[in-house]
Amino acid sequence: MGRYLLRRLLQLVPVFIGTTFLIYWLVWSVPGDPFAGKCGERACPDNFRAVMTAKYHLDDSIWVQYASYMKNLFQGDFGITFGGREISDIIVTSYPNTLKLAVVALTIEAVIGLGAGVLTGLRRNGFLDNLVLISTLFLIALPVFVIGFVLQWLFGVKWGIVTPTVSSEMRISELIVPGFVLGSASMAYIARLARTSIAENRRADYVRTAIAKGLPMRRVVGVHLLRNSLIPVVTLLGTDLGALMGGAIVTEGIFGINGIGRQVLRSIVTKESATVVGIVVVLVVVYLVMNLLVDLLYAALDPRIRYE
Amino acid sequence: MSEQSAPGADGSGRPSGRLLEVDDLRVEFRTRDGVAKVINGVTYHVDAGETLAVLGESGSGKSVTAQTIMGILDTPPGFVTGGQVRFHGKDMLKMSSEQRRRIRGEGIAMIFQDSLSALNPVFTVGFQIAEQFRIRRGMSRADAKKRAIEMLDQVKIPNAKGRYSNYPHQFSGGMRQRAMIAMSLALDPEVLIADEPTTALDVTVQAQIMDLLAEVQRERQMGMILITHDLGVVADVADRIAVMYAGRIVEEANVYDLYAKPAHPYTLGLLNSIPRMDEKGQELRTIKGLPPNLMNIPSGCAFNPRCPMAQPVCREKLPTLLQLGSGRASACHFAEELVSRD
Amino acid sequence: MSDPSAASLVSTPRIEQPGESGAPANAGLPESAQKQQKPRGLLGDAWLDLRRKPLFWISAAFILVFVVMAAFPSLFTSGDAVNGALSRSLVKPSADAWFGYDVQGRDVFARTIYGARASIVVALLSVIGTLLIGGAMGMIAGYRGGWVDALLSRVADIFFGLPFVLGSIVILTTFNGSGRDNSEWTIMGLVIMSLTVLSWPVVMRLMRSAVLATKEADYIVAARALGAGTGRIIFKHLLPNCLAPILVYGTIMVGSFIGLEATLSFLGIGLRSPVVSWGIMISEAQTLIRVAPYLLFFPAAFLVTAVLSFVTLGETVREALDPKLR
């Protein structure tokens, strides 16, 4: 297990370097004036140009640029916005909100998705089965912003059950609708995956053996069947958490949540490219680490993987 | 333990002193493409301390019979359409599912061909054995673990204590099969059904496993039903043999009689098709034709299209299982001629 | 949209374990009759299954309608999708104009019909690109193995590391920033490129696992033993077997790409006026949702139907092809 972990960590490094370099190159090094569009609609003030050029070694080769950027990054220096604000400050104030929303979304999608998936997987071809199949199809097919609009309008405007946008306190009750919207597609995938996994495993030989041993059905299903069937589902949930932590740009925008996704969107609109890169780098790191954790989780759950 | 019953208690009038009895069992598989008659009136029995080998090729119905006995038949598409399965004289097919469940493992246990897929890959082998003690006997974790290690020892797995915490994929094929045998014996069953236990193993390991099964059976005086298509495996271990074809028993005999003088053309064909050292250089003998399509079994004797001795009567009349004395039976119109030949 | 591992949605063919027949002791007996039915096999069974499913025909019909709509919009409407008269601004739907008029007085029905073209063309081209690139990479990585596989997988990981929305934002703002003035086609091309670049890793992984599963199959080994070259093995033997999950996923991807294009337009970084697409229309309808909900409703309905049709078609084909679900 330790060797496996070490190997995965080592694989992480080149990927991290590759991704961050790619982003850096995209934003700062495309041929042309690196400051084009960086300061909103106007041309950049000279002192800003001077400071940034010195800081990011823009007169040097891209390797030096990247290296110095990375060096700064590891010291916690993400640079400054056009307005002079520390980018790291932006990240620190907005990321916790995103995390809160992510946890709520994950909980909702796990509960509903697993519940629906397990029930229909055990008992196929009933009314519930068709209902779940159709509703999950809709949830997968509709883009998030359409679901977001519809639910915001339904619950916030038409029926007035919740406030259409989320307040700055971010109470859990306010996060339920946005959480549902954010988790809607994943909920559908989880339900379907659980359903398929359980349906497949029901016919497996080891289930037949468990029955032949004379174990009560409760145990055959609850222990033997579920433990195997839910491995892919749990790993999907883990992967999803990684994606959720990547910020829900669309959902945060619709519901007015001040999370990292919103910051990215704002930075795009206001052409604050340095902020964009900084935030994206953080998100990529989080995503990679989460992926690693999910792989470890998978190895912990399935002993066959451990001894590769 | 399972209940004892007085002779004749099942109401049939027949003596029910036998341990396990299959009586005129009929099973069909209903699929989208039609109904396959998989078992068409199978009757056999096994008593304590003896081994019945059920011999047949793929599609003969031997495994399905075993699954019906255990109650693990896939329903749908499989349906029992007639007959009885009596354990200590009581028909299991009429029991409640809870009653049947209790018999599994304690009264009748089963081991399977592919031990890798038959064992749960995410639990240790020790856990799966100890589970029987914990759940069915209410033992504590510690006690169950001890007993499980004892079982692993009994099936001659070296370093049983260490192996307790290994997963199925960490065992070699032969060791894994031993572990599965240990698991099946945990609750001291009276009957053990072994469905092709050695087919997936190397020849040398096959012999070891068969020896283990024989020893275990002797010690515990279990009844054993050995399901196989391998004539070689059967010769050493079986007391009696039932040969199946197209869902029916076509011949029944003790092992010596069957090999010395088969009473059915199918059995004769099987024995003749074994390559022999003293026939080197000659063409291999086969049974011509293909096994029957179970959705469309030939009329009369199901073997008639392939039988070298077939006569018109074989196509018209279904031969019944004719008792030939001294425990022999054969479902062939010309059984007596075959037996008296020399 | 989160990106679950591809294997969860589409299953690859399972390699059969050695079955119950096969010990040589009964050498006299020929193979079971059932094996001889194999040639009809999976595709034949799947087609029989599909033919019966009403969902298959319904979704196929819808797709046909949309494709025709994209190719020949004038068949469906004679209205003008691009120009409008301000005097007709925000006129509600009526018998004259079924979907009403938008803020600039443009015929919403005409725009919805013409919108199909951009949405579907972008999605189709992106899927083709993704399948080609991802499929090729996956095939090479799976077949060659070793360091080639390791290298290609790491490259895929790098692109995997970019969450879709973020990655496309970065790409599109870089090349499509407000300082620049790109033509319609350039913008379309950029959107197609970002969709392709960010989605090929999924297809690559799918193809790679399909190749890995089939590579060691006996018939491949036999082909090699008979002297078949790499090219022949790939095209004649591997590809037909690995193609099914890829194509199925591709069909579903068309649906999700239609949705993604709409999301990008909604965020303002995708297609732009004067191009008409459903995403653009929905984006424009945002602010007016309380006043004129029909501006959102019609293009959204078309969008949803199109996405659903592709996804449903892909799903029904996948279920028909999946032997495990029998």
Side-chain angles (χ1 to χ4, degrees):
Chain A
M1 184 73 154
R3 267 179 51 205
Y4 182 68
L5 175 59
L6 193 61
R7 237 175 5 136
R8 292 287 288 114
L9 271 175
L10 285 179
Q11 283 174 358
L12 209 71
V13 174
V15 176
F16 171 73
I17 294 178
T19 317
T20 48
F21 183 73
L22 187 63
I23 297 168
Y24 188 86
W25 176 81
L26 273 176
V27 175
W28 286 108
S29 311
V30 170
D33 179 7
F35 289 101
K38 293 289 182 297
C39 305
E41 304 297 340
R42 304 161 276 166
C44 286
D46 280 339
N47 59 337
F48 179 72
R49 276 181 181 257
V51 167
M52 285 306 191
T53 308
K55 191 165 188 152
Y56 293 115
H57 300 264
L58 291 175
D59 293 330
D60 297 331
S61 74
I62 180 150
W63 308 105
V64 178
Q65 287 179 39
Y66 175 69
S68 74
Y69 181 76
M70 280 288 126
K71 196 185 79 178
N72 289 335
L73 213 63
F74 278 109
Q75 291 167 353
D77 177 11
F78 283 79
I80 53 176
T81 69
F82 165 57
R85 191 173 166 204
E86 283 281 338
I87 294 179
S88 47
D89 184 49
I90 296 179
I91 296 177
V92 162
T93 46
S94 57
Y95 208 17
N97 295 334
T98 297
L99 288 180
K100 212 168 171 186
L101 178 63
V103 170
V104 171
L106 193 76
T107 315
I108 294 179
E109 70 185 43
V111 167
I112 300 182
L114 271 179
V118 169
L119 279 176
T120 50
L122 288 177
R123 202 183 328 192
R124 300 193 66 195
N125 299 322
F127 166 71
L128 186 65
D129 197 41
N130 288 318
L131 179 68
V132 167
L133 277 180
I134 294 180
S135 52
T136 50
L137 199 57
F138 266 89
L139 287 178
I140 294 177
L142 298 181
V144 173
F145 70 99
V146 171
I147 300 180
F149 271 143
V150 170
L151 288 183
Q152 182 186 43
W153 182 70
L154 265 181
F155 286 92
V157 178
K158 186 133 195 246
W159 296 335
I161 302 181
V162 292
T163 56
T165 53
V166 173
S167 69
S168 48
E169 289 131 39
M170 304 250 311
R171 281 183 290 260
I172 301 286
S173 55
E174 293 172 335
L175 289 178
I176 294 188
V177 174
F180 182 90
V181 169
L182 184 55
S184 55
S186 302
M187 187 188 315
Y189 281 116
I190 286 170
R192 282 167 164 250
L193 180 61
R195 175 180 174 269
T196 310
S197 185
I198 288 183
E200 273 176 19
N201 276 279
R202 271 182 80 201
R203 299 282 177 213
D205 282 350
Y206 65 85
V207 171
R208 187 182 59 175
T209 307
I211 299 178
K213 277 161 77 171
L215 296 171
M217 270 317 262
R218 215 178 41 235
R219 187 174 171 90
V220 173
V221 170
V223 173
H224 288 262
L225 181 60
L226 282 186
R227 178 71 174 72
N228 273 278
S229 319
L230 294 185
I231 293 178
V233 177
V234 169
T235 45
L236 180 59
L237 279 173
T239 312
D240 208 43
L241 183 58
L244 286 174
M245 285 165 70
I249 296 182
V250 174
T251 313
E252 288 176 5
I254 295 179
F255 290 95
I257 299 172
N258 184 26
I260 202 125
R262 196 134 183 259
Q263 290 301 330
V264 166
L265 190 57
R266 257 191 54 206
S267 319
I268 294 168
V269 168
T270 57
K271 313 286 185 282
E272 291 274 1
S273 303
T275 317
V276 172
V277 176
I279 295 180
V280 171
V281 166
V282 169
L283 295 178
V284 164
V285 169
V286 168
Y287 184 74
L288 287 176
V289 169
M290 284 303 298
N291 269 2
L292 178 64
L293 287 177
V294 167
D295 278 348
L296 290 179
L297 179 66
Y298 191 50
L301 289 176
D302 188 343
R304 291 168 287 187
I305 302 294
R306 258 178 248 171
Y307 301 96
E308 267 179 9
Chain B
M1 289 291 282
S2 23
E3 294 112 331
Q4 303 290 329
S5 61
D10 63 340
S12 68
R14 282 195 217 100
S16 45
R18 300 207 155 132
L19 187 52
L20 175 64
E21 236 182 325
V22 175
D23 188 359
D24 197 33
L25 187 65
R26 287 163 199 281
V27 174
E28 59 184 36
F29 271 53
R30 298 176 197 158
T31 70
R32 218 171 16 188
D33 300 319
V35 174
K37 294 195 179 296
V38 176
I39 299 183
N40 303 305
V42 164
T43 300
Y44 61 63
H45 71 275
V46 71
D47 292 322
E50 71 165 349
T51 300
L52 169 73
V54 178
L55 198 67
E57 58 192 325
S58 312
S60 57
K62 52 194 200 300
S63 289
V64 175
T65 316
Q67 287 169 11
T68 313
I69 295 174
M70 287 300 286
I72 56 177
L73 186 68
D74 263 346
T75 304
F79 293 91
V80 177
T81 52
Q84 296 187 353
V85 177
R86 289 193 292 269
F87 185 58
H88 283 295
K90 295 196 71 173
D91 185 9
M92 292 201 290
L93 298 176
K94 296 208 174 49
M95 289 181 185
S96 70
S97 51
E98 178 62 17
Q99 285 172 314
R100 280 199 92 169
R101 178 185 80 78
R102 264 194 282 257
I103 296 181
R104 294 186 199 125
E106 267 186 19
I108 312 176
M110 188 159 170
I111 60 176
F112 301 95
Q113 172 185 334
D114 183 356
S115 57
L116 187 56
S117 64
L119 291 169
N120 196 326
V122 300
F123 293 126
T124 62
V125 161
F127 174 95
Q128 297 186 52
I129 301 178
E131 188 179 28
Q132 291 286 66
F133 295 114
R134 272 194 317 135
I135 305 295
R136 303 287 304 271
R137 295 263 189 268
M139 287 188 188
S140 69
R141 268 182 215 271
D143 285 338
K145 177 168 178 175
K146 235 177 21 168
R147 290 283 285 129
I149 296 177
E150 279 172 26
M151 296 302 305
L152 287 173
D153 241 345
Q154 275 187 40
V155 295
K156 311 241 182 11
I157 292 181
N159 184 22
K161 193 151 180 221
R163 295 296 244 167
Y164 177 92
S165 338
N166 281 152
Y167 291 93
H169 67 276
Q170 293 174 283
F171 284 75
S172 71
M175 287 294 150
R176 199 165 42 230
Q177 191 63 288
R178 288 175 192 266
M180 192 151 72
I181 294 173
M183 190 169 77
S184 68
L185 298 174
L187 303 177
D188 265 324
E190 296 175 71
V191 176
L192 179 64
I193 304 179
D195 191 352
E196 310 241 28
T198 55
T199 306
L201 302 171
D202 294 338
V203 173
T204 40
V205 180
Q206 271 184 22
Q208 292 171 3
I209 297 295
M210 290 315 300
D211 284 343
L212 174 66
L213 280 175
E215 183 185 321
V216 159
Q217 185 215 11
R218 237 189 347 260
E219 282 172 9
R220 295 153 179 263
Q221 281 296 294
M222 287 189 312
M224 188 156 80
I225 301 180
L226 176 64
I227 299 174
T228 179
H229 59 266
D230 186 340
L231 285 160
V233 158
V234 163
D236 271 335
V237 182
D239 298 309
R240 285 183 299 119
I241 302 180
V243 181
M244 282 186 70
Y245 187 82
R248 288 201 180 88
I249 308 249
V250 295
E251 180 165 2
E252 222 183 299
N254 71 59
V255 58
Y256 301 104
D257 288 340
L258 192 92
Y259 279 82
K261 194 163 301 174
H264 192 283
Y266 179 56
T267 319
L268 190 58
L270 288 179
L271 286 167
N272 281 341
S273 67
I274 300 177
R276 293 169 56 128
M277 288 289 283
D278 55 351
E279 291 174 359
K280 222 158 83 163
Q282 298 177 27
E283 227 175 79
L284 288 173
R285 278 178 280 185
T286 64
I287 303 179
K288 72 173 205 286
L290 295 168
N293 176 0
L294 294 171
M295 298 203 203
N296 199 0
I297 299 181
S299 61
C301 172
F303 188 60
N304 83 67
R306 309 168 69 188
C307 182
M309 298 168 35
Q311 303 292 327
V313 62
C314 300
R315 230 169 310 149
E316 293 152 19
K317 248 182 70 179
L318 176 69
T320 52
L321 200 60
L322 189 65
Q323 297 295 327
L324 299 169
S326 60
R328 297 200 66 168
S330 168
C332 177
H333 295 300
F334 308 104
E336 279 153 346
E337 284 92 323
L338 275 168
V339 170
S340 48
R341 261 206 280 189
D342 217 56
Chain C
M1 186 166 95
S2 58
D3 170 41
S5 64
S8 67
L9 197 52
V10 180
S11 53
T12 49
R14 183 173 64 169
I15 293 299
E16 229 95 55
Q17 297 298 334
E20 24 146 359
S21 65
N26 57 342
L29 299 174
E31 294 267 276
S32 163
Q34 276 154 354
K35 293 251 173 77
Q36 299 211 328
Q37 283 169 11
K38 264 247 162 110
R40 186 184 82 169
L42 209 50
L43 281 176
D45 273 342
W47 178 234
L48 281 181
D49 227 351
L50 272 181
R51 267 166 40 178
R52 291 181 231 203
K53 287 192 189 189
L55 264 184
F56 173 71
W57 293 113
I58 295 176
S59 51
F62 269 108
I63 290 178
L64 195 60
V65 168
F66 281 116
V67 169
V68 172
M69 204 186 287
F72 307 110
S74 45
L75 283 179
F76 291 82
T77 177
S78 54
D80 190 345
V82 181
N83 301 308
L86 284 172
S87 56
R88 287 196 301 244
S89 172
L90 291 183
V91 172
K92 291 218 188 326
S94 64
D96 289 330
W98 295 343
F99 289 0
Y101 292 90
D102 69 4
V103 146
Q104 294 186 20
R106 296 175 290 199
D107 181 354
V108 177
F109 183 69
R111 279 176 72 76
T112 312
I113 302 289
Y114 275 85
R117 169 179 285 180
S119 304
I120 292 184
V121 164
V122 165
L124 269 178
L125 287 180
S126 310
V127 167
I128 293 176
T130 311
L131 287 184
L132 284 176
I133 298 181
M137 301 278 267
M139 176 69 80
I140 298 174
Y143 191 69
R144 282 252 164 256
W147 65 269
V148 174
D149 182 11
L151 181 66
L152 287 177
S153 295
R154 293 293 81 72
V155 172
D157 281 345
I158 290 177
F159 284 89
F160 247 128
L162 294 170
F164 177 79
V165 181
L166 286 174
S168 52
I169 289 178
V170 173
I171 295 178
L172 288 170
T173 39
T174 304
F175 293 104
N176 203 21
S178 78
R180 305 176 184 237
D181 190 21
N182 292 319
S183 74
E184 267 184 46
W185 296 107
T186 319
I187 298 182
M188 239 197 209
L190 282 172
V191 172
I192 294 176
M193 191 198 73
S194 11
L195 284 172
T196 308
V197 159
L198 293 166
S199 310
W200 70 263
V202 179
V203 176
M204 184 229 167
R205 275 200 188 169
L206 198 55
M207 178 64 115
R208 178 176 173 272
S209 63
V211 170
L212 283 178
T214 1
K215 186 167 75 157
E216 301 304 332
D218 284 342
Y219 62 90
I220 301 283
V221 178
R224 236 183 273 144
L226 286 170
T230 306
R232 189 180 167 80
I233 292 186
I234 289 184
F235 283 103
K236 197 148 178 311
H237 296 285
L238 277 179
L239 207 51
N241 284 285
C242 301
L243 218 42
I246 309 292
L247 286 179
V248 167
Y249 192 66
T251 315
I252 299 178
M253 253 202 308
V254 176
S256 66
F257 276 9
I258 295 179
L260 283 176
E261 179 276 311
T263 309
L264 290 177
S265 304
F266 165 73
L267 289 173
I269 55 174
L271 300 175
R272 243 178 258 173
S273 279
V275 176
V276 188
S277 85
W278 294 325
I280 294 176
M281 293 178 72
I282 295 175
S283 170
E284 288 172 353
Q286 248 186 45
T287 45
L288 296 162
I289 189 173
R290 284 170 213 210
V291 174
Y294 64 89
L295 284 180
L296 172 67
F297 177 71
F298 291 116
F302 270 62
L303 178 79
V304 168
T305 315
V307 173
L308 269 178
S309 313
F310 279 99
V311 172
T312 310
L313 184 71
E315 287 275 321
T316 42
V317 172
R318 183 184 67 82
E319 283 200 358
L321 280 177
D322 188 355
K324 292 183 238 172
L325 286 178
R326 295 181 174 281

